[in-house]
Amino acid sequence: MQTNPTYTSLVAVGDSFTEGMSDLLPDGSYRGWADLLATRMAARTPGFRYANLAVRGKLIQQIVDEQVGVAAAMRADVVTLVGGLNDTLRPKCDMGRVRDLLTEAVERLAPSCERLVLMRSPGRQGPVLERFRPRMEELFACVDELARRHGAVVVDLYGAPSLADPRLWDVDRLHLTAEGHRRVAEAVWQALGYSAEDPGWHTPMPPTAPLHWVARRTADVRFAREHLLPWIGRRLTGRSSGDGRPAKRPELLPYEDQIL
């Protein structure tokens, strides 16, 4: 791959991971790895354009129906696609259907851009990861095969020890913290061929003393009350946190004014 390439545009496709939850800004909006990556790319390339079509809670069928065609029509230099993980977390998941839809998305996006970026999504250490690991790894095997077939780049976040650390995950245990998103942006930055700014993004954080039993149980209760029970409620009623939400940045527009 070209070293320190000159890409003039980026389109991000996906769900809450690409929208940027839980990298919260003071105004209540989310930043996230895709915005951070766009900021870096814009600093190198005058006139750089960026769109982020991601919406939280989207399943792979919704991503294909609502985002893939729009992204392909934009003809951006770089397209990132991360989807399917929300499907694997559902009690009932047809992995054959997920693979087929992901394949459709890649087949439509790959010819439309110079560089398609796929990811093996990160997983937080804990019982949720262990329960759904077989589905996740089946999804990632599909990602690897599609990348080989279509010449896409795969960013392996699942295999990065640092991103499994619970300290890099928000209290909802589903989304990365600001530091987690920063590391993802660095990983994608390097995968695109840019010189590393943080060569150790995948290196585990220094160990700290474990939380006391009472602190762990308090955190578990807060997680169940504020995040787990509402999540279960949405699943039971067929609702999504992304219902009615527009794309984060729906048009491919210049991004210079966003440089931090």
Side-chain angles (χ1 to χ4, degrees):
M1 185 179 297
Q2 180 183 356
T3 302
N4 289 319
T6 302
Y7 293 119
T8 64
S9 52
L10 166 68
V11 175
V13 174
D15 51 33
S16 59
F17 175 68
T18 301
E19 184 184 343
M21 296 173 72
S22 291
D23 184 6
L24 191 64
L25 294 172
D27 65 359
S29 65
Y30 292 108
R31 181 175 53 179
W33 65 265
D35 284 11
L36 292 169
L37 177 65
T39 296
R40 288 193 190 185
M41 296 173 76
R44 283 178 168 264
T45 307
F48 182 83
R49 296 175 300 149
Y50 170 51
N52 189 325
L53 307 180
V55 178
R56 67 194 71 174
K58 294 299 183 181
L59 302 173
I60 187 63
Q61 178 74 72
Q62 295 168 308
I63 290 172
V64 169
D65 291 345
E66 301 168 13
Q67 300 179 33
V68 168
V70 176
M74 289 178 174
R75 311 295 297 184
D77 287 352
V78 178
V79 175
T80 66
L81 167 64
V82 188
L85 199 62
N86 282 335
D87 297 80
T88 69
L89 299 177
R90 295 292 179 109
K92 295 181 180 180
C93 173
D94 182 346
M95 286 304 299
R97 179 67 173 156
V98 171
R99 291 194 306 271
D100 289 346
L101 287 164
L102 185 61
T103 299
E104 178 184 346
V106 170
E107 289 177 345
R108 292 170 63 186
L109 289 172
S112 76
C113 62
E114 180 179 344
R115 182 62 61 193
L116 177 62
V117 178
L118 308 177
M119 297 188 201
R120 294 162 57 93
S121 304
R124 180 187 184 276
Q125 291 175 350
V128 173
L129 175 62
E130 294 310 313
R131 178 180 179 184
F132 295 103
R133 186 186 295 274
R135 289 181 182 175
M136 293 171 63
E137 294 186 349
E138 184 176 349
L139 176 68
F140 299 154
C142 179
V143 167
D144 291 342
E145 174 57 29
L146 288 170
R148 285 191 293 268
R149 197 184 309 163
H150 295 278
V153 173
V154 176
V155 183
D156 186 12
L157 306 174
Y158 180 71
S162 62
L163 294 176
D165 191 323
R167 290 172 294 175
L168 288 182
W169 294 76
D170 191 51
V171 294
D172 67 2
R173 304 183 184 182
L174 287 174
H175 301 106
L176 292 169
T177 62
E179 173 59 17
H181 280 283
R182 185 197 67 78
R183 292 182 183 230
V184 172
E186 177 68 30
V188 182
W189 173 260
Q190 292 182 29
L192 286 171
Y194 294 104
S195 298
E197 295 186 11
D198 176 14
W201 69 266
H202 57 282
T203 303
M205 297 171 63
T208 57
L211 290 175
H212 188 274
W213 183 88
V214 173
R216 294 200 306 273
R217 295 294 77 78
T218 300
D220 289 343
V221 170
R222 178 187 175 191
F223 161 70
R225 182 180 65 249
E226 297 182 5
H227 302 286
L228 180 59
L229 292 177
W231 184 86
I232 292 173
R234 290 194 297 272
R235 299 291 80 76
L236 293 175
T237 58
R239 293 179 293 115
S240 168
S241 57
D243 288 347
R245 289 184 177 273
K248 180 177 183 178
R249 186 178 169 89
E251 298 181 78
L252 188 60
L253 296 174
Y255 202 60
E256 292 92 341
D257 61 334
Q258 301 293 325
I259 297 175
L260 303 178

